[in-house]
Amino acid sequence: MEDLKKRLTQPSIESKQEWFGKLISYLAMILIGGLVGIILIFLTLKGIALFKDNGVGVWHFLSGTDWQPSHHHYGALPMIVTSFSVTVLSGIIALPLALIVAIAITEMLPERVYQYLQPLIELLVGIPSVVYGYLGLTIIVPYLRQVFGGTGFGILAATCVLFLMILPTMTSMTIDSFRAVPQKYRQASIGLGATRWQTISRVIIPSAKNGVLTAMVFGMARAFGEALAVQMVIGNTTVIPKGLMESSATLTSVLTTGIGNTVMGTASNNALWSLALILLVMSLAFNLLMRLSSKKGAR
Amino acid sequence: MQTKTALETKNLQVLYGEKHVAHDINLKFPQNQITALIGASGSGKSTVLRSLNRMNDDFATVKGEINFHGVNINQPKVNVYRVRQQIGMVFQQPTPFPMSIYENVIYGLRLTGEKDRRVLDQRVEESLRQAALWDEVRDQLKASALALSGGQQQRLCIARTLAVRPEIILMDEPTSALDPVSTSQIEDTLVQLKKHLTIIMVTHNMQQASRSADWTAFMHQGHLIEFDKTDTIFMNPHEQKTADYLSGKFG
């Protein structure tokens, strides 16, 4: 009797394992949370150094159009405008294509097509961005040069490269959200006399709307943060673009170009950190947007 | 048979690839009556039901005739969308769309291009009343249909089918996913509905068949064994197989 009482109340191998497992998970969580926290603090501190130590006004930084760190001109507006332009343009072009491919694969073509195409699309998602940049440099830029004249480098080339880069991601996510629409909705709609197209436009797309929105924001977030591929084709001149064929520079491309050529702690270096801070804030905004759009879907 | 026939099958056969799942089904579904299709799982009753409004087009080969108002609707040139407006379908699982109750009910009407608010409003009330759901949802027509209980959702799906004013409603085990209270509410609704239309229902629930169906067809392994008035089937079946099934010897 005494023995059983002891066994019931004392720790055993199982309870120790449980405890150990919990400890490891909590430590991992603290590590990840801590890392994110440290990055946020570090970037914020470095990012505001330009305003605090070098006396550049925040508004002047955000609205100024002249970016010449060597001459102490820190106007980041051209990069902000260009970053948003290429992101939004590539997102807008990619969305209808992703939708059409997703509709074709999930609603029209046999299941077999999906089984072959899905791994292919995932492969495309995994291709390093430098490859897309190289494609842009060797194919898209010369082609644009031929058709529109000029150098070929610029907003349009960057948009094309980003479009190619985010299309697989967006397509894959759009397909997933279409496949998540219950089969019974399709049956019910067809049972009420709907054609396939009516079913797609009236039931399936509205049901998958939040997933599609999330896919678009996700793709745009990726485009916004892409540095290398853009840098290779955009021409890298820090002016506000006046047309699609104008050379320009994004936040990320200026960062990658400049960070190796400045000295830690100088104003020109701090200015780059401030650009990074804008990027971080924007990524957080994209994340929040994604959260909001996918939460609405869980209703 | 004294009553008029709403729908008739002649030598109906259904094949999934090479597999014959229904052989030579000859049935005359009487108008303004409830007909139950009973039989063990795999007897082919759901397959036959789904063939009646061409829902099997994408999955199976359906041979034979399905006569509706003197037209064989089982032929390629028939407009299946119009057929399905006349012969509606209610499924086993409640299938409300993720939209408001109102939009769910008028879904079928919208497909036909109806835009007149008064017609839509009137049809929503009419259909929800017929499905015995109006009193429960009249104040929340704009609310999401997904917030309704399972029984309410199924009655909403019945209302949605009724809204296009079909002549026949096919039901594939309409209450098997519901609790007993919701089940009896729906059975009461069906008895009310047969004044206006013809109901053909697949059911696994013998009590349900005996309670609400006027006619019963018993199917076994893809063959129609017996079709008669429900009382006859349950009290004095002519076939030994029917008697065996009803007494639980197989199934």
Side-chain angles (χ1 to χ4, degrees), chain B residues 38-40 204 206 218 241-251:
Chain B
I38 63 169
H204 268 294
M206 291 307 123
F218 171 62
K241 271 186 186 145
T242 314
D244 287 351
Y245 179 70
L246 290 171
S247 61
K249 284 203 180 129
F250 66 87

Side-chain angles (χ1 to χ4, degrees), chain B residues 87-226:
Chain B
I87 308 178
M89 183 118 192
V90 174
F91 298 87
Q92 180 174 7
Q93 295 283 334
T95 55
F97 299 130
M99 9 174 138
S100 70
I101 294 171
Y102 187 94
E103 285 297 327
N104 260 284
V105 177
I106 59 169
Y107 183 81
L109 277 176
R110 282 225 194 273
L111 296 178
T112 62
E114 183 61 62
K115 286 199 178 71
D116 189 339
R117 258 300 142 185
R118 278 172 313 175
V119 175
L120 296 175
D121 286 346
Q122 181 271 331
R123 204 66 77 83
V124 165
E125 180 172 348
E126 173 193 297
S127 318
L128 285 172
R129 275 191 195 284
Q130 283 182 336
L133 190 61
W134 176 251
D135 292 331
E136 290 162 58
V137 302
R138 60 188 304 171
D139 298 323
Q140 42 169 325
L141 294 176
K142 299 278 172 243
S144 167
L146 301 184
L148 297 173
S149 74
Q152 288 176 324
Q153 288 188 357
Q154 191 63 310
R155 275 180 284 153
L156 176 66
C157 293
I158 294 175
R160 187 173 63 188
T161 307
L162 291 171
V164 287
R165 291 187 175 152
E167 288 187 26
I168 301 174
I169 295 191
L170 309 175
M171 295 185 154
D172 193 355
E173 299 184 50
T175 61
S176 68
L178 304 179
D179 63 65
V181 177
S182 308
T183 300
S184 75
Q185 279 174 330
I186 288 191
E187 285 175 9
D188 292 345
T189 309
L190 297 189
V191 173
Q192 291 299 313
L193 284 177
K194 73 177 180 184
K195 290 173 192 156
H196 314 287
L197 37 77
T198 306
I199 296 169
I200 305 170
M201 169 172 73
V202 160
T203 181
H204 268 294
N205 183 334
M206 291 307 123
Q207 281 89 36
Q208 182 165 62
S210 65
R211 270 194 307 258
S212 39
D214 305 292
W215 295 78
T216 297
F218 171 62
M219 286 187 64
H220 182 59
Q221 293 178 349
H223 292 275
L224 176 67
I225 305 296
E226 197 170 349

Side-chain angles (χ1 to χ4, degrees), chain A residues 184-196 198-199 202-203 206-207 299, chain B residues 50 55 59 81 84-85 89 91 94-99 107 110-111 144 160-161:
Chain A
K184 59 182 189 177
Y185 287 176
R186 298 178 177 89
Q187 288 274 312
S189 175
I190 286 175
L192 285 160
T195 62
R196 179 143 58 181
Q198 284 173 325
T199 303
R202 287 162 191 264
V203 177
S207 307
R299 170 171 61 103
Chain B
R50 281 158 178 269
M55 291 287 285
F59 315 105
Y81 312 113
R84 290 173 194 152
Q85 281 163 15
M89 183 118 192
F91 298 87
T95 55
F97 299 130
M99 9 174 138
Y107 183 81
R110 282 225 194 273
L111 296 178
S144 167
R160 187 173 63 188
T161 307

Side-chain angles (χ1 to χ4, degrees), chain A residues 22-242:
Chain A
K22 263 188 194 162
L23 183 76
I24 289 185
S25 337
Y26 285 137
L27 282 178
M29 270 173 3
I30 291 169
L31 181 72
I32 291 173
L35 274 175
V36 173
I38 287 170
I39 291 174
L40 284 175
I41 294 168
F42 178 74
L43 253 181
T44 312
L45 287 179
K46 291 295 275 183
I48 58 174
L50 180 74
F51 314 122
K52 246 176 56 192
D53 305 344
N54 305 106
V56 178
V58 177
W59 181 243
H60 181 78
F61 177 75
L62 290 177
S63 65
T65 55
D66 191 10
W67 179 263
Q68 283 178 308
S70 47
H71 295 91
H72 301 288
H73 293 304
Y74 304 105
L77 192 63
M79 284 87 88
I80 297 175
V81 170
T82 308
S83 271
F84 273 99
S85 313
V86 291
T87 302
V88 171
L89 281 175
S90 56
I92 286 176
I93 301 172
L95 181 70
L97 249 117
L99 264 180
I100 291 168
V101 173
I103 287 171
I105 287 182
T106 56
E107 309 300 326
M108 295 170 166
L109 300 168
E111 176 74 12
R112 218 160 1 99
V113 177
Y114 167 76
Q115 282 162 0
Y116 286 124
L117 270 180
Q118 184 69 3
L120 197 77
I121 293 173
E122 270 157 21
L123 192 76
L124 288 175
V125 172
I127 290 180
S129 56
V130 65
V131 176
Y132 285 103
Y134 187 70
L135 278 179
L137 198 60
T138 52
I139 298 171
I140 295 172
V141 170
Y143 180 76
L144 292 177
R145 188 185 303 144
Q146 237 175 28
V147 176
F148 298 104
T151 60
F153 291 95
I155 302 265
L156 188 59
T159 303
C160 292
V161 167
L162 286 177
F163 157 74
L164 285 177
M165 207 181 86
I166 65 175
L167 184 64
T169 316
M170 281 175 63
T171 308
S172 167
M173 286 177 74
T174 309
I175 290 175
D176 288 345
S177 64
F178 275 33
R179 285 175 67 87
V181 175
Q183 202 57 37
K184 59 182 189 177
Y185 287 176
R186 298 178 177 89
Q187 288 274 312
S189 175
I190 286 175
L192 285 160
T195 62
R196 179 143 58 181
W197 170 244
Q198 284 173 325
T199 303
I200 291 169
S201 66
R202 287 162 191 264
V203 177
I204 295 171
I205 293 181
S207 307
K209 189 180 59 198
N210 292 304
V212 175
L213 218 66
T214 309
M216 178 158 176
V217 177
F218 191 88
M220 280 169 51
R222 209 181 150 203
F224 196 80
E226 176 53 37
L228 202 55
V230 174
Q231 192 203 350
M232 288 166 83
V233 298
I234 202 160
N236 301 306
T237 51
T238 48
V239 289
I240 290 188
K242 293 186 184 60

Side-chain angles (χ1 to χ4, degrees), chain A residues 267-281:
Chain A
S268 8
N269 185 267
N270 285 343
L272 294 179
W273 284 107
S274 301
L275 292 184
L277 184 61
I278 299 179
L279 267 175
L280 180 77
V281 171

